[in-house]
Amino acid sequence: MVFVSPLIALVLTLLAGVVLFSVMGVNPQAALYAFFIEPLTSKYGWGELGVKATPLILIGVALSIGFRSGVWNIGAEGQLTLGAICGGGIALLFYDTEAFFVLPLMVVCGILGGMLWAAIPAWLRTSFNANEILTSLMLTYVATLLLSLLVHGPWRDPDGFNFPESRIFSDSATLPIILSGTRLHMGWVFALAFVAAAWVMLARTIIGFQVKVVGEAPAAARYAGFSVNKMIWFSLLLGGGAAGLAGLVEVSGPIGQLLPTVSPGYGFTAIIVAFVGRLHPVGVLFAGLLMALSYLGGESAQISMNLPLAVTGVFQGLLLFFLLGCDVLIQYRVVTRTLISKRAH
Amino acid sequence: MTRSFPGVLANDKISFTIAPGEIHALLGENGAGKSTLVKMIYGILKPDAGEIRWNGEVVDIPNPAYARSLGIAMVFQHFSLFDSLSVLENIVLGIDSRDTSNLRSQIAEISERYGLSLDPDRHVYTLSVGERQRIEIIRCLLQNPKLLVMDEPTSVLTPQEVEKLFQTLQRLAQEGLSILYISHKLNEIKTLCQRATILREGRVVDAVKIESETVSSLASKMMGKELVESASSTVSTTGDVRMRIDNLSLPAKDEFGIPLREISMEVRAGEILGIAGVAGNGQDELLEAISGELLSNRPEDISISGKHCGQMNPNQRRMLGLASIPEERLGHGSVPGMSLEENGLLTAFMRLGLLSQGFIKTEACKEFTRKVIQRFEVKATDVKSPAVSLSGGNLQKFIVGREITQSPELLVVSQPTWGVDAGATQIIREGLRDMARKGAAVVVISQDLDELVQISDRLGAICGGAVSQFYPTESLSIEEIGLLMAGAKLDLENQNVA
Amino acid sequence: MDIIIASLLTIITAATPLLYASIGEMITEKSGVLNLGVEGMMLMGAVCGFAVIHFTGSETLAILAGLSAGMGMAAIFAMLVLGFQSSQVATGLALTIFGIGLSALLGQDLVGIAYDGLPKIAIPFLSDIPVAGLLLFHHDVMVYGSVIIVILSAWFLNKTRAGLILRAVGNSHDAAHAIGYPVIRIRFMAILFGGAMSGLAGAYLSLAYSPLWIENMSAGRGWIALALVVFATWRPWRVMAGAYLFGGITILQLHLQAQGVGVPAQVMSMLPYLATILVLVLISRNQSKIKLNAPACIGKPFQPTS
């Protein structure tokens, strides 16, 4: 039942896509093929799907837990960037060391970096009541500038002809590939494990129960003895940690070095992923794959049909709109039914 | 007039008339269809069938503005006021005339004439509930209405304020104003009204002249059966002190809140302690301070069974034997969208050990919920039904049942039967009495005086965040309770205060 | 002296888009609706305004195009939030994401095209006053417009019956509905006004501030505008003060960058964002002040059932 509206929304988005492509003077059939089918016609393509889906799922799962508890962490993009900076920093520190501990240390630092960045809005919200939507978002801009500062300055590759790029990470600072012939890396395993853990937590544990109660009825949560402030910290640290891990996974996986921009907006797209996935870990898994496909499709349509990359963003926005609309239509029926049974008493 | 909502006929062919200068009662229990009827009269809802005749002519009332232009004015049960606006702005919003230049003098004149004093420049959030009601009444009177509809106007007033209101209403009726008075309080109707139309389950069951009726004949017509109320439990032996509050003061949370002032009280095992008071005098704050939702500054402010717990969190206090039930059922006492099973878990997980290493014991949880449903006759399809799907009475039975089934030694409950039908009321009150009989201490905070008089052994009142002394219930008259509710001190001869 | 005047002038241009966007959002919020889509509406206003100036050359049409684009976006938001009662936060985010994508798509052929910027209008006589004349009376039409909007919205909110009704709806939609005010219609208009103002803010960026079109050119100004509304505790004159303060910070850091102070450019560019966080914290610390001024119904969906 809850997964009906994402499917309807998807169909509506595709229909809107047909209209959009026709208006742009592009053959809709060819464009949709290039967008949604072509990327998956090779093993490499499937690998890429996992690569792109990994950060989306990691962040999407964490955000959906946050959103359920009523904490609006919109700054995952910034936390991702900090994860990349802190994890990548370790890689650069040990650039000439081949040792087993480098990668685990990078993972830990990446997670801590993301958490640190998310701790700021958590602290500002719990101590000063400052709205976390605005503070976490502002910190995203700050994080992007910080990364740019580092790769333009102290962390620039000394042999890199003055390009704003860091050294390329050593082998022991790079995530192992898990499917040969593709770029699919260890991060995908992290993402799947995270989905499973989050699912169990939400369905079976008292922490998951707290998340739901705090989000749905803060007064009832206080009554039950659940601290709203603790939940704000929990949600933001979880979101920050997951985003930090996603950032680390990006730089030590497909990118392999620090660049001025390490993410094509995964932190924002993950918000859509969370909603399309119904704020449920398993739903997020599928939604993350779908959104990853939209990124791949954007690239493939750009190459094969010369379509602008921005189409991806339009598709993502449309999907969320249609979803919100469909949701209400379906929920509306549920509400009417409850009202009927309520009045009948 | 007929009006149905999806799945239920709220008003089924209801007819009645009201004459100029008459005070007419619309009598019925919660859910009898009174509110639906007046909303149609005031143009907020449209009837499915039927007609309204105004001075003999059929009228169609599409919206409240048109109702006001006819001369129909309404004072709402939940006031339609805007907290952050001034009194004057609130009045301007409620009248349709665009000319507001001499409004101040008009307000002054009406205040004077009917004894409704009010400062037009104060913000509504600074006013007491009684003062807020005055705004509504003045707002209505400014339009020179022919018919004034009052929806449960006394539920928020002290007995003294009620008396004053009745004087105003009688004076208005003498001047030719028709008043439609909606209530389920029989005494009031008996003193104030001339005729009554009695509603039950959306139908008119009778239309009577008040002088030929008694309170009990009205009651049986309203409820459709004789209601057997068991008598108040007499205190057999009072046991040990279960809870002591010692000079508790708490600042208000914000401008809209009420500070608690130097509250001291104690409640003993086996007794029911009643706290009367008009809404918004600190009841919520007191309950939250006891339950642990608000922490006090000193641990010794509150002690449960001898343990200082002023700074313990709600679950630590539950482990000391406390259970609490807030006034707001949906969203505070329960999570609306969650199942009964999950709502059972909400307060019971610590005391009943429904967790093992952070994981929820689903079966134990289900069993507990089933037990509550069965014991308190909660009408629900199963443990998976969401709380919001239950009627008010059923949900309240579930919440009260959830707390009582955890067998606490101290229960604090606010407004246990507010908006609840007669059947559920009886079950809930019986549950509370039963607890006291078994040796638990019970504190009932309520605005319903009849209820308090009926079930409590000792009675006091809260006013402006301060709690009065407590007196044996049978030693107090209604007037004296009214004085306590207004914050006055009693000078009783028998000062044998427990 | 000339440098100071030049800086003050640029502060005004930097403040104007913030002023439009936050005044619009303030009115929307006063009606009890939180629209987080300001950034998306601004970008659409920017791209549409720039496209129209490029293809027609008419400033009037370009400004109107910016206004209508913002309004169109706001209409989508209003339909979902008021018609379908969807979550205001989620819908606003969707609007921003959608606006960023759509504006980039629409504007892909406009990148790199030059435009001279809106012409300055010197007000006769007044503009001849030394210093002050140049500072205050020698601007483009949209700067004058922004000040007029502030005056009008202050007058509307505090002096008119319609403004009182708008505040009432934001304070308690249930009470307003019970008295008989059309809550949905009033909110719809407030959202459209907010959209129109965001559209103008965007148009100002592409027509006067930059003036050119590049993807994502608002660079978080929509979000800063949202913060300004809180900072100003929902009062028009304070919104204006806040917008000029932020304009000042933006220009200050640009000047410092240009003068080559020993601080890296990126650190300077962080300033407006850090300043936003700082003012949010300062103002939010005083919760009772926020609570007294904030529209009580903000973010809550309204269901006119009973």
Side-chain angles (χ1 to χ4, degrees):
Chain A
M1 189 64 191
V2 277
F3 291 102
V4 173
S5 52
L7 290 178
I8 301 175
L10 184 60
V11 172
L12 288 174
T13 311
L14 290 180
L15 288 178
V18 171
V19 176
L20 183 72
F21 288 129
S22 309
V23 171
M24 289 167 69
V26 180
N27 177 359
Q29 204 187 333
L32 286 178
Y33 178 83
F35 229 92
F36 294 106
I37 311 291
E38 200 174 272
L40 299 181
T41 48
S42 67
K43 181 182 168 195
Y44 181 79
W46 283 94
E48 283 303 285
L49 188 70
V51 170
K52 293 257 188 306
T54 298
L56 291 175
I57 292 170
L58 280 173
I59 305 174
V61 167
L63 287 189
S64 53
I65 292 170
F67 293 167
R68 277 199 174 195
S69 68
V71 177
W72 296 98
N73 174 11
I74 305 304
E77 183 79 2
Q79 293 143 22
L80 178 151
T81 308
L82 249 283
I85 291 174
C86 293
I90 298 293
L92 296 177
L93 190 64
F94 295 102
Y95 76 98
D96 52 358
T97 316
E98 294 286 338
F100 70 96
F101 67 85
V102 176
L103 197 57
L105 188 62
M106 284 169 70
V107 170
V108 170
C109 287
I111 294 175
L112 287 179
M115 282 184 168
L116 172 81
W117 214 237
I120 302 172
W123 176 59
L124 297 178
R125 166 78 193 272
T126 49
S127 304
F128 306 106
N129 249 309
N131 182 319
E132 77 277 11
I133 297 179
L134 295 171
T135 51
S136 65
L137 196 98
M138 289 295 130
L139 285 170
T140 296
Y141 292 98
V142 177
T144 316
L145 287 164
L146 183 63
L147 177 61
S148 157
L149 173 72
L150 291 170
V151 294
H152 277 90
W155 288 4
R156 188 164 51 192
D157 183 357
D159 312 320
F161 308 102
N162 254 350
F163 281 113
E165 296 174 0
S166 76
R167 288 175 203 275
I168 300 207
F169 295 171
S170 69
D171 282 350
S172 63
T174 311
L175 285 172
I177 301 289
I178 56 170
L179 186 63
S180 61
T182 70
R183 299 200 296 163
L184 193 65
H185 51 73
M186 268 303 282
W188 175 244
V189 181
F190 295 159
L192 290 182
F194 192 41
V195 167
W199 189 11
V200 172
M201 189 199 84
L202 276 176
R204 286 272 173 267
T205 70
I206 191 75
I207 300 178
F209 183 66
Q210 285 187 30
V211 166
K212 291 181 271 183
V213 175
V214 171
E216 264 205 63
R222 273 191 293 118
Y223 169 58
F226 304 151
S227 156
V228 175
N229 275 356
K230 269 189 204 155
M231 193 44 67
I232 292 171
W233 276 100
F234 175 77
S235 292
L236 275 160
L237 289 184
L238 185 74
L245 178 61
L248 176 274
V249 156
E250 280 302 288
V251 292
S252 68
I255 303 180
Q257 67 185 127
L258 285 178
L259 301 175
T261 311
V262 290
S263 147
Y266 287 138
F268 295 111
T269 308
I271 298 170
I272 305 182
V273 168
F275 280 111
V276 174
R278 320 275 62 201
L279 305 183
H280 186 291
V282 178
V284 168
L285 176 66
F286 289 106
L289 288 168
L290 179 67
M291 284 298 161
L293 181 59
S294 79
Y295 276 114
L296 289 182
E299 288 170 8
S300 109
Q302 188 186 27
I303 296 163
S304 63
M305 305 194 63
N306 211 11
L307 284 171
L309 261 181
V311 174
T312 305
V314 177
F315 266 134
Q316 294 176 347
L318 276 176
L319 180 60
L320 186 46
F321 274 143
F322 285 128
L323 178 80
L324 291 168
C326 294
D327 246 11
V328 176
L329 287 181
I330 287 174
Q331 257 171 23
Y332 183 72
R333 285 176 44 206
V334 178
V335 170
T336 335
R337 252 189 284 130
T338 8
L339 278 183
I340 292 171
S341 58
K342 196 174 162 184
R343 288 225 169 84
H345 274 289
Chain B
M1 304 229 286
T2 298
R3 164 78 198 203
S4 63
F5 290 106
V8 60
L9 207 54
N11 275 189
D12 186 7
K13 297 189 194 111
I14 289 184
S15 302
F16 75 96
T17 58
I18 179 165
E22 178 189 356
I23 305 183
H24 189 107
L26 205 53
L27 180 62
E29 271 208 274
N30 292 311
K34 295 168 295 181
S35 291
T36 305
L37 181 60
V38 295
K39 277 177 182 158
M40 289 192 289
I41 296 174
Y42 197 54
I44 298 174
L45 287 177
K46 282 196 196 328
D48 298 334
E51 59 182 32
I52 299 172
R53 282 170 196 264
W54 181 251
N55 291 331
E57 283 179 37
V58 176
V59 287
D60 175 35
I61 304 176
N63 55 50
Y66 187 74
R68 289 192 290 261
S69 75
L70 285 177
I72 301 173
M74 175 144 170
V75 175
F76 294 92
Q77 179 180 9
H78 304 288
F79 303 145
S80 51
L81 294 177
F82 306 95
D83 281 348
S84 64
L85 303 182
S86 72
V87 170
L88 186 67
E89 285 175 325
N90 268 284
I91 290 176
V92 169
L93 280 166
I95 61 177
D96 298 304
S97 138
R98 292 191 170 264
D99 174 29
T100 51
S101 47
N102 55 352
L103 202 57
R104 273 169 192 280
S105 60
Q106 282 178 299
I107 293 173
E109 191 197 332
I110 290 184
S111 312
E112 178 100 5
R113 202 156 126 210
Y114 299 102
L116 302 161
S117 66
L118 210 54
D119 174 1
D121 291 317
R122 277 182 63 183
H123 280 91
V124 170
Y125 69 85
T126 64
L127 301 179
S128 75
V129 186
E131 287 172 309
R132 290 178 196 211
Q133 190 177 52
R134 275 179 229 159
I135 305 179
E136 291 254 343
I137 297 175
I138 290 180
R139 184 153 83 178
C140 291
L141 295 183
L142 274 170
Q143 326 230 41
N144 297 317
K146 309 286 184 303
L147 171 64
L148 180 63
V149 183
M150 302 203 81
D151 193 357
E152 305 269 1
T154 59
S155 53
V156 294
L157 302 180
T158 62
Q160 282 79 1
E161 283 176 315
V162 169
E163 203 173 311
K164 217 166 146 190
L165 173 71
F166 282 7
Q167 285 166 6
T168 309
L169 292 182
Q170 266 150 356
R171 167 121 193 239
L172 287 166
Q174 278 158 22
E175 291 174 9
L177 181 69
S178 309
I179 296 171
L180 184 59
Y181 188 89
I182 296 141
S183 182
H184 64 275
K185 294 189 180 167
L186 304 164
N187 289 320
E188 292 180 355
I189 284 172
K190 183 76 183 139
T191 33
L192 186 69
C193 305
Q194 285 105 49
R195 286 195 303 152
T197 299
I198 302 168
L199 299 186
R200 196 167 69 225
E201 287 166 3
R203 277 188 213 100
V204 175
V205 289
D206 208 349
V208 296
K209 277 205 164 56
I210 297 289
E211 51 192 12
S212 55
E213 295 287 328
T214 63
V215 168
S216 62
S217 70
L218 284 173
S220 59
K221 280 176 179 154
M222 177 170 93
M223 288 183 272
K225 60 176 183 222
E226 297 289 336
L227 197 67
V228 207
E229 280 284 1
S230 45
S232 167
S233 66
T234 45
V235 214
S236 42
T237 44
T238 18
D240 305 335
V241 174
R242 271 287 140 71
M243 175 177 70
R244 171 176 289 130
I245 299 182
D246 183 19
N247 211 13
L248 165 74
S249 292
L250 269 185
K253 273 182 286 187
D254 53 58
E255 264 77 358
F256 301 100
I258 308 283
L260 294 180
R261 296 175 215 274
E262 296 169 5
I263 294 179
S264 292
M265 57 189 259
E266 52 180 50
V267 50
R268 290 170 178 275
E271 71 168 344
I272 299 183
L273 190 74
I275 302 180
V278 173
N281 268 296
Q283 287 95 333
D284 293 349
E285 287 81 358
L286 176 61
L287 183 99
E288 292 192 5
I290 297 176
S291 74
E293 291 164 72
L294 286 177
L295 296 185
S296 48
N297 303 318
R298 305 176 307 157
E300 64 271 27
D301 279 354
I302 301 174
S303 349
I304 295 174
S305 299
K307 296 225 170 47
H308 296 324
C309 64
Q311 295 193 316
M312 288 189 183
N313 70 32
N315 281 317
Q316 289 169 317
R317 296 189 198 197
R318 284 194 181 105
M319 294 313 280
L320 292 181
L322 168 78
S324 66
I325 301 171
E327 171 181 350
E328 180 62 44
R329 286 190 277 275
L330 278 173
H332 196 174
S334 74
V335 184
M338 284 191 167
S339 68
L340 292 182
E341 185 188 341
E342 288 171 299
N343 273 301
L345 182 68
L346 191 67
T347 62
F349 66 93
M350 282 287 268
R351 232 180 124 72
L352 298 187
L354 297 176
L355 299 182
S356 104
Q357 302 193 325
F359 284 83
I360 298 162
K361 294 187 197 162
T362 326
E363 269 316 308
C365 207
K366 273 202 183 79
E367 205 182 291
F368 166 67
T369 311
R370 277 197 208 102
K371 205 160 113 190
V372 174
I373 292 179
Q374 202 178 14
R375 211 176 123 194
F376 285 82
E377 301 169 35
V378 180
K379 280 179 210 129
T381 0
D382 66 357
V383 294
K384 295 279 179 211
S385 328
V388 70
S389 70
L390 267 62
S391 73
N394 271 311
L395 183 58
Q396 187 69 359
K397 279 190 281 184
F398 177 77
I399 292 174
V400 173
R402 174 185 69 194
E403 300 307 321
I404 292 181
T405 309
Q406 295 179 48
S407 37
E409 279 127 38
L410 167 67
L411 175 70
V412 186
V413 51
S414 176
Q415 297 277 66
T417 60
W418 176 79
V420 165
D421 59 280
T425 300
Q426 228 175 340
I427 293 179
I428 291 169
R429 287 187 188 157
E430 196 41 56
L432 296 177
R433 277 201 203 98
D434 190 48
M435 272 199 67
R437 269 196 295 270
K438 286 180 182 154
V442 179
V443 178
V444 179
I445 304 172
S446 176
Q447 293 163 39
D448 185 342
L449 273 190
D450 299 341
E451 167 167 280
L452 288 174
V453 169
Q454 213 185 91
I455 67 170
S456 53
D457 302 310
R458 285 192 301 141
L459 190 57
I462 183 166
C463 176
V467 171
S468 72
Q469 286 194 297
F470 288 83
Y471 303 90
T473 306
E474 61 274 10
S475 74
L476 289 173
S477 67
I478 286 288
E479 285 69 33
E480 285 166 337
I481 300 174
L483 286 173
L484 289 175
M485 286 165 71
K489 285 207 164 44
L490 288 193
D491 188 22
L492 288 189
E493 282 167 31
N494 53 342
Q495 282 282 359
N496 57 342
V497 188
Chain C
M1 189 65 196
D2 284 351
I3 290 181
I4 295 174
I5 292 180
S7 319
L8 289 175
L9 280 175
T10 44
I11 287 176
I12 293 176
T13 47
T16 300
L18 290 176
L19 187 50
Y20 274 115
S22 34
I23 282 284
E25 179 67 15
M26 181 194 73
I27 295 285
T28 305
E29 291 188 12
K30 272 283 178 193
S31 81
V33 179
L34 176 68
N35 186 350
L36 294 180
V38 181
E39 185 89 357
M41 300 190 290
M42 270 176 90
L43 283 167
M44 285 299 289
V47 75
C48 292
F50 196 78
V52 169
I53 201 79
H54 175 60
F55 290 115
T56 71
S58 157
E59 282 96 13
T60 317
L61 284 182
I63 293 171
L64 281 177
L67 182 142
S68 325
M71 236 177 176
M73 292 286 281
I76 301 177
F77 175 81
M79 196 178 73
L80 284 166
V81 164
L82 301 177
F84 292 148
Q85 278 137 29
S86 64
S87 147
Q88 293 180 12
V89 173
T91 313
L93 289 172
L95 194 69
T96 286
I97 294 170
F98 179 68
I100 293 173
L102 187 60
S103 61
L105 180 62
L106 293 174
Q108 55 169 329
D109 295 332
L110 299 170
V111 178
I113 293 173
Y115 165 63
D116 291 340
L118 291 176
K120 303 271 191 255
I121 303 168
I123 295 183
F125 308 118
L126 289 176
S127 59
D128 296 335
I129 306 170
V131 186
L134 190 59
L135 264 184
L136 301 177
F137 302 109
H138 195 259
H139 288 288
D140 57 67
V141 62
M142 289 189 76
V143 171
Y144 298 129
S146 68
V147 179
I148 293 172
I149 288 289
V150 176
I151 298 171
L152 282 181
S153 50
W155 169 77
F156 170 79
L157 280 178
N158 298 321
K159 301 280 180 222
T160 68
R161 186 179 168 86
L164 178 61
I165 294 172
L166 182 86
R167 284 188 284 144
V169 167
N171 187 256
S172 166
H173 46 222
D174 292 324
H177 178 67
I179 298 181
Y181 291 112
V183 174
I184 299 282
R185 206 188 315 157
I186 290 164
R187 290 200 167 153
F188 190 71
M189 290 192 293
I191 293 173
L192 284 193
F193 177 80
M197 288 304 111
S198 292
L200 284 182
Y204 190 81
L205 285 177
S206 66
L207 295 177
Y209 183 74
S210 297
L212 48 79
W213 162 255
I214 41 169
E215 253 182 56
N216 223 339
M217 67 184 298
S218 51
R221 283 188 184 80
W223 297 102
I224 294 182
L226 277 159
L228 276 181
V229 178
V230 181
F231 168 69
T233 54
W234 294 268
R235 291 180 200 176
W237 292 107
R238 292 197 193 167
V239 166
M240 187 161 171
Y244 278 85
L245 177 70
F246 269 83
I249 295 171
T250 313
I251 295 307
L252 178 74
Q253 58 97 356
L254 283 179
H255 273 276
L256 291 176
Q257 277 187 38
Q259 301 208 337
V261 235
V263 184
Q266 288 93 345
V267 173
M268 301 308 292
S269 306
M270 288 175 192
L271 274 181
Y273 306 114
L274 293 175
T276 307
I277 295 175
L278 184 71
V279 297
L280 258 181
V281 167
L282 288 179
I283 207 78
S284 307
R285 259 175 43 192
N286 190 346
Q287 265 305 290
S288 58
K289 199 169 166 188
I290 296 263
K291 224 173 171 177
L292 274 184
N293 289 291
C297 281
I298 195 152
K300 292 178 193 153
F302 169 66
Q303 283 173 312
T305 40
S306 51

